[in-house]
Amino acid sequence: MVNDLNWAIGGEAGDGIDSTGKIFARALSRAGRHVFTSKDFASRIRGGYTAYKVRTAVERVESVVDRLDILIALTERTIDENLDELKEGSVIIYDGEQTTMADVEVPEGMIGLEIPLNSLAEKAGGAIMRNVVALGAASEVAGFPVEYLDEALVKRFGEKGEAIVSNNREAARLGRDFVREETDYSEEFSLETTDEDYVLLNGDEAIGMAAIAAGCRFYAGYPITPATDIMEYLTGRIEAFGGAVVQAEDELSAINMALGAARAGARAMTATSGPGIDLMSETFGLVATSETPLVIANVMRSGPSTGMPTKQEQGDLNAMLYGGHGEIPRFVLAPTTIGECFDRTVEAFNLAEKYQLPVYLTADLALAVTEQTYSPERFDMEGVEIDRGKVVDPDEVEEWLDEKGRFKAHAATEDGVSPRALPGTPDAAHMTTGLEHDELGRRTEEEDVRVEQVQKRQRKVDTARDREAFDYREFGDPDAETLVISWGSNEGAMREALGMLDDRGIDVRFLSVPYIYPRPDLTDEVEAAEDVIVVECNATGQFADLIEHDTLTRVQRVMKYTGVRFKADELADEIEGAIAGERAPPEVKR
Amino acid sequence: MSSDTHFTDFKSDKQPTWCPGCGDFGTMNGMMKALAETGNDPDNTFVVAGIGCSGKIGTYMHSYALHGVHGRALPVGTGVKLANPDLEVMVAGGDGDGYSIGVGHFIHAVRRNIDITYVVMDNRIYGLTKGQASPTSRQGFETATSPDGTVEPPVNPQALALAAGGTFIAQSFSSDSQRHADLVQRAIEHDGFGFVNVYSPCVTFNDVDTYDYFRDSIVNLDETDHDPGNYEAAKDRIMDPGAEHIGVLYQNEDSVPFSEREGIDRNMADIPDGAPERADRLVREFY
């Protein structure tokens, strides 16, 4: 019985690929199976190849692998695009009645199931349901009773009325029946179900949900792939909690609106992707200098310039660490799983307010737009704690006034964190500015004041290093001679690769680091290892550079910058090669 | 809000570094008077300023204030106002700040009809960078960056505001102090985006748009039969090239501010110590 099943639907953008995939993923999740999805999509609205892939198992799945068991191919190109992943015995479902599909040649060793998707859909009430016919057929092939789709169909089509839902159910059943009665396909898969309740969500959604939980009430943003899901998630939801979403005219406006809201005392956020980060850089410096708490999510895609907007990369690390002129104190948090997007987002808001500075919260595309199942308890609302830092009550204002009764909003305190008076607080009115300023927020160019304020702002970072646990997560064999370090979404694939390497007799200690700045000092860990390998999705090894800088030790680099995330089996091969000294740039398979 | 606020309460103890005779003194004094007249006090007032001579205003006034980056004061003001509707938000900038680098934000703030007051100190020159052409400089104006005279015609800020759906469009003159303060007050009292362009002469670098020039050229709309509620009449006045008006050019009495349309009426600074009630339902949505 195959339990780890890899399934995909592919066609042209506009073919309803995404929503069909989602129906299947949701049905599996409701049936108590774990799901991990991935998407291939192009930066266009209609046309162009697009696919939605679902990996499902009863055990947790953390990554994609290099194998497809069932493929619904709405176009011939879908088969070509997935040739590498199709294996002996893979099932390809397609509509041979379509003229565009008439010449489809099913690769040797694979099973082609010709199903008249359109005709069956018309029989159920309309050709538009052809994907659902295919879904029914694929469910039958997968040994997943078609009834499990029903609830997901209600969720998808319920708003359109009972008739539409029942037509879709009928379409799914026609697909199933065709496989049963008109093909000689004999069942090879049988998907076990469980009583577990899972939720299915992507990283952007986890960030949006956490933002509301953490008290974020103001969001301003400008649509950009792959960060837009955060804004779309918040729109219509944050209002119910007393907040607002503003679609700004550009990223410059977005970050400045968020800055304004934060100065007014709201927990505020903006989100964007690489090009938007560039546009926000000037104000980023102002946020830090004015000591305004702000969370800026950067959902990374392939750069530079407009790059590949719908493709994976972790290329913005340097931009986030060093972006902006002058020296800017900041935090950079990088969740490594979808579930962790929730925790780090909550933490980002607390850190921003406790230390009154901008916090980059970065997810890569692979985390942001793909979905994974979790137990609902994973998103623990009871456990959310909100720390607003040194906000002064009206009765505390007096402590922070100078001899003339003026509020010292930038007081040079020992820990570097000044008192914060929200507008409306009596007798604490003050200004602040991006110009160098004194404790009152007034412009100055006096040398000693300049030095005092620079040190004060930087001291906040040192204080945070002392007080916070900017730690890593550890997997694998703690005593292994090989140490692998990664950041961002590589954790899932790497964890799965650990098992594969173990099967090959290779022990690995794996550290996944969700804090880029401040970050844990890995000197001891690096010195204890024989081979040190840093895994990341970029071409220059930006995180590897940091490890070398911190530990004064050369590390090996496993990098991928094709625009596609690491697959677990691919990563296992790469690690094995790196240990053996056979490192080569990742080859693009053709 | 205290009812006994005097306009000097909005004055900081910092001496302005504007050139003696600068129009910005009068502009700022009028803003402070208008704030006091409308019953505001420094603790509930937020002033946002951009870059340039005008940008210094946050230092010379006493209130909650942010002096931001060039051209982006309006988005900051928008965020402040939406996050806390109880605050009186005033945004101040210059012609370069508002009509050059920030012109995109200007149009969008106008069309959103955010309930803030926007005062532009228009001296038709870049003063702080020592005398380059600005977007409102007249065509043919000779400056350091246009030695043979500018070739572009000036932007018409009122026309931009009207085209973007502006609901309060006024023009004032900084040295006509009582009228100026009165116009800013009317902008504050307006429900929506109150836009006041102020002739605020630069005595150092602009020898064309001088106090004398304005005194000779200005037409006070209060002394005409102009009806600010008449859109067509406003359009005619605004589109009249070379006309120097002061007064309210256009006001839409049916203006509904953005926050009212969006139902934003809470101070967003008030949040619980943990996840809000009903947050659990956010998780259940993903079933």
Side-chain angles (χ1 to χ4, degrees):
Chain A
M1 182 157 74
V2 173
N3 223 335
D4 181 349
L5 182 93
N6 290 276
W7 175 103
I9 180 168
E12 290 199 352
D15 278 346
I17 302 295
D18 211 54
S19 87
T20 311
K22 202 155 187 168
I23 291 168
F24 189 56
R26 208 182 282 282
L28 289 162
S29 154
R30 296 310 298 137
R33 294 184 61 84
H34 274 295
V35 168
F36 190 97
T37 76
S38 63
K39 295 179 191 180
D40 293 343
F41 61 114
S43 186
R44 55 196 285 184
I45 295 169
R46 294 197 70 89
Y49 168 72
T50 175
Y52 189 105
K53 298 184 176 177
V54 176
R55 185 174 172 208
T56 177
V58 171
E59 298 76 36
R60 260 198 95 60
V61 274
E62 301 277 2
S63 69
V64 289
V65 288
D66 208 358
R67 194 184 84 236
L68 259 186
D69 300 304
I70 301 171
L71 172 67
I72 299 169
L74 298 181
T75 57
E76 206 177 341
R77 183 177 168 191
T78 304
I79 300 173
D80 296 336
E81 291 278 351
N82 292 284
L83 269 185
D84 289 336
E85 294 178 22
L86 290 164
K87 309 286 180 209
E88 175 127 10
S90 295
V91 179
I92 301 171
I93 293 168
Y94 65 101
D95 187 348
E97 283 182 3
Q98 297 302 304
T99 48
T100 52
M101 300 296 281
D103 300 328
V104 165
E105 280 180 27
V106 175
E108 217 184 305
M110 296 174 202
I111 301 160
L113 282 186
E114 261 193 75
I115 299 175
L117 303 176
N118 263 31
S119 320
L120 291 173
E122 273 165 13
K123 217 165 129 188
I128 195 164
M129 291 181 289
R130 68 171 176 161
N131 290 5
V132 178
V133 175
L135 211 46
S139 295
E140 176 64 12
V141 171
F144 185 63
V146 87
E147 289 74 22
Y148 285 116
L149 297 177
D150 290 350
E151 203 181 318
L153 289 170
V154 172
K155 185 132 182 161
R156 175 71 182 83
F157 298 111
E159 282 176 8
K160 298 184 176 177
E162 186 51 42
I164 303 277
V165 171
S166 66
N167 285 353
N168 274 283
R169 284 181 177 168
E170 174 64 10
R173 280 160 180 75
L174 288 175
R176 172 196 65 186
D177 294 347
F178 190 89
V179 173
R180 275 189 188 169
E181 292 153 20
E182 308 289 333
T183 71
D184 52 8
Y185 178 77
S186 62
E187 207 166 279
E188 282 183 32
F189 306 108
S190 173
L191 297 189
E192 189 187 330
T193 60
T194 78
D195 293 332
E196 295 295 324
D197 267 334
Y198 295 131
V199 289
L200 180 71
L201 71 170
N202 70 28
D204 276 347
E205 289 165 336
I207 289 170
M209 179 168 68
I212 294 178
C216 174
R217 294 292 171 263
F218 185 86
Y219 178 96
Y222 187 75
I224 183 168
T225 304
T228 313
D229 276 358
I230 297 176
M231 179 156 64
E232 292 189 354
Y233 174 83
L234 290 173
T235 304
R237 287 190 179 82
I238 202 169
E239 292 85 349
F241 296 90
V245 170
V246 179
Q247 182 173 326
E249 57 272 25
D250 52 37
E251 285 87 349
L252 306 158
S253 178
I255 189 171
N256 278 282
M257 282 184 188
L259 163 67
R263 288 228 63 90
R267 285 198 154 186
M269 177 185 192
T270 184
T272 185
S273 188
I277 290 295
D278 292 352
L279 292 175
M280 291 179 179
S281 290
E282 185 190 22
T283 299
F284 184 77
L286 170 64
V287 172
T289 309
S290 63
E291 305 194 73
T292 307
L294 192 63
V295 176
I296 301 154
N298 176 16
V299 185
M300 291 180 287
R301 61 192 216 183
S302 300
S305 189
T306 28
M308 299 196 290
T310 62
K311 298 295 178 185
Q312 159 73 353
E313 202 162 278
Q314 299 175 300
D316 298 352
L317 190 147
N318 286 342
M320 289 183 288
L321 268 180
Y322 308 118
H325 64 279
E327 296 171 306
I328 305 173
R330 69 191 81 194
F331 293 157
V332 183
L333 310 189
T336 61
T337 65
I338 293 166
E340 206 204 352
C341 285
F342 183 85
D343 308 331
R344 294 290 80 75
T345 302
V346 173
E347 186 180 21
F349 281 99
N350 284 335
L351 289 174
E353 288 205 309
K354 281 160 80 176
Y355 300 98
Q356 300 172 20
L357 45 63
V359 179
Y360 271 130
L361 174 74
T362 188
D364 46 59
L365 177 134
L367 273 189
V369 305
T370 62
E371 294 142 311
Q372 200 174 349
T373 35
Y374 283 92
S375 292
E377 296 77 40
R378 173 68 186 76
F379 305 100
D380 175 21
M381 294 297 177
E382 296 285 314
V384 170
E385 284 177 18
I386 291 175
D387 187 341
R388 305 213 63 181
K390 288 195 195 170
V391 175
V392 295
D393 289 332
D395 53 9
E396 295 168 338
V397 168
E398 212 179 323
E399 293 171 38
W400 296 103
L401 301 180
D402 73 355
E403 69 288 351
K404 289 186 178 170
R406 302 172 300 191
F407 185 74
K408 294 191 285 184
H410 299 280
T413 54
E414 205 170 306
D415 62 3
V417 185
S418 302
R420 179 168 167 231
L422 307 186
T425 307
D427 304 320
H430 63 273
M431 77 159 307
T432 190
T433 167
L435 293 166
E436 192 54 86
H437 45 258
D438 59 17
E439 291 189 313
L440 299 173
R442 296 164 170 217
R443 176 194 176 170
T444 183
E445 290 177 358
E446 279 178 43
E447 291 178 27
D448 53 344
V449 180
R450 158 72 177 176
V451 170
E452 180 181 58
Q453 286 292 320
V454 168
Q455 289 179 345
K456 172 214 132 51
R457 291 193 294 265
Q458 197 54 46
R459 201 152 60 235
K460 297 192 282 191
V461 180
D462 299 332
T463 302
R465 275 199 187 97
D466 290 344
R467 291 183 188 167
E468 310 289 334
F470 296 117
D471 222 336
Y472 56 76
R473 266 199 305 280
E474 176 160 5
F475 306 95
D477 175 5
D479 301 318
E481 288 182 349
T482 301
L483 176 68
V484 174
I485 306 168
S486 85
W487 65 289
S489 67
N490 311 309
E491 179 183 304
M494 189 57 216
R495 280 181 67 182
E496 202 160 338
L498 287 177
M500 298 173 181
L501 289 163
D502 189 48
D503 291 344
R504 301 176 199 177
I506 301 169
D507 294 332
V508 173
R509 180 185 189 193
F510 169 48
L511 310 182
S512 183
V513 186
Y515 299 99
I516 307 296
Y517 190 82
R519 59 183 168 271
D521 182 352
L522 300 179
T523 308
D524 291 345
E525 290 80 353
V526 166
E527 284 179 354
E530 194 74 31
D531 290 296
V532 182
I533 302 160
V534 175
V535 170
E536 56 190 313
C537 287
N538 58 48
T540 56
Q542 297 178 29
F543 192 62
D545 287 345
L546 296 179
I547 302 291
E548 289 184 346
H549 167 277
D550 291 352
T551 64
L552 302 177
T553 305
R554 284 282 177 201
V555 300
Q556 300 195 61
R557 292 149 197 246
V558 167
M559 300 173 294
K560 186 173 183 184
Y561 41 96
T562 57
V564 180
R565 71 195 313 159
F566 279 111
K567 290 172 182 154
D569 30 18
E570 167 192 37
L571 202 43
D573 293 346
E574 292 272 348
I575 301 292
E576 190 177 1
I579 296 168
E582 297 160 358
R583 287 185 302 108
E587 205 174 308
V588 179
K589 290 184 200 159
R590 212 34 278 174
Chain B
M1 275 178 244
S2 54
S3 55
D4 54 353
T5 310
H6 190 258
F7 88 94
T8 51
D9 293 344
F10 287 95
K11 223 177 167 87
S12 83
D13 54 5
K14 194 100 171 168
Q15 278 303 106
T17 57
W18 290 321
C19 305
C22 175
D24 291 353
F25 286 98
T27 307
M28 180 174 74
N29 285 338
M31 289 165 64
M32 295 192 293
K33 273 184 196 153
L35 282 166
E37 281 298 315
T38 45
N40 291 291
D41 64 43
D43 294 331
N44 83 311
T45 301
F46 202 110
V47 173
V48 189
I51 297 287
C53 294
S54 63
K56 297 179 173 182
I57 197 159
T59 314
Y60 309 144
M61 286 177 67
H62 175 60
S63 71
Y64 284 92
L66 180 86
H67 175 212
V69 297
H70 199 29
R72 320 287 164 215
L74 281 171
V76 174
T78 299
V80 172
K81 184 67 187 181
L82 294 180
N84 186 352
D86 300 335
L87 297 174
E88 188 66 53
V89 179
M90 192 170 278
V91 177
D95 40 312
D97 192 68
Y99 308 143
S100 200
I101 188 167
V103 71
H105 304 313
F106 173 53
I107 288 167
H108 289 282
V110 169
R111 93 181 162 94
R112 285 192 188 101
N113 204 26
I114 302 287
D115 191 13
I116 58 181
T117 303
Y118 183 39
V119 177
V120 179
M121 303 172 204
D122 183 0
N123 58 13
R124 301 179 174 177
I125 188 107
Y126 284 110
L128 201 58
T129 49
K130 303 193 190 299
Q132 299 81 26
S134 98
T136 48
S137 293
R138 306 171 188 210
Q139 193 164 1
F141 186 46
E142 291 174 15
T143 73
T145 51
S146 57
D148 301 322
T150 54
V151 290
E152 301 104 327
V155 301
N156 180 336
Q158 281 92 0
L160 290 177
L162 194 72
T167 56
F168 183 95
I169 301 169
Q171 166 76 58
S172 98
F173 180 32
S174 71
S175 82
D176 192 348
S177 55
Q178 194 45 55
R179 270 195 197 88
H180 165 59
D182 176 58
L183 284 166
V184 177
Q185 182 176 338
R186 287 167 71 179
I188 292 172
E189 286 164 348
H190 175 70
D191 282 335
F193 191 81
F195 167 47
V196 186
N197 190 69
V198 189
Y199 296 134
S200 189
C202 175
V203 293
T204 304
F205 292 106
N206 194 330
D207 54 6
V208 184
D209 298 298
T210 59
Y211 286 101
D212 283 346
Y213 161 74
F214 283 116
R215 280 192 197 102
D216 292 346
S217 320
I218 275 173
V219 173
N220 180 359
L221 291 173
D222 288 346
E223 290 162 11
T224 69
D225 59 356
H226 181 66
D227 168 14
N230 184 333
Y231 184 87
E232 288 301 320
K235 196 173 73 182
D236 290 345
R237 294 271 180 185
I238 286 171
M239 295 309 288
D240 182 6
E244 313 285 13
H245 297 108
I246 62 168
V248 179
L249 283 148
Y250 180 66
Q251 181 167 18
N252 182 347
E253 297 286 355
D254 299 325
S255 163
V256 181
F258 182 88
S259 50
E260 202 173 308
R261 276 183 276 130
E262 292 283 318
I264 300 169
D265 54 8
R266 274 186 270 185
N267 180 354
M268 295 178 192
D270 300 332
I271 57 167
D273 296 335
E277 271 182 58
R278 296 173 291 122
D280 279 340
R281 75 181 188 193
L282 296 173
V283 186
R284 288 196 295 274
E285 272 186 63
F286 292 110
Y287 271 137

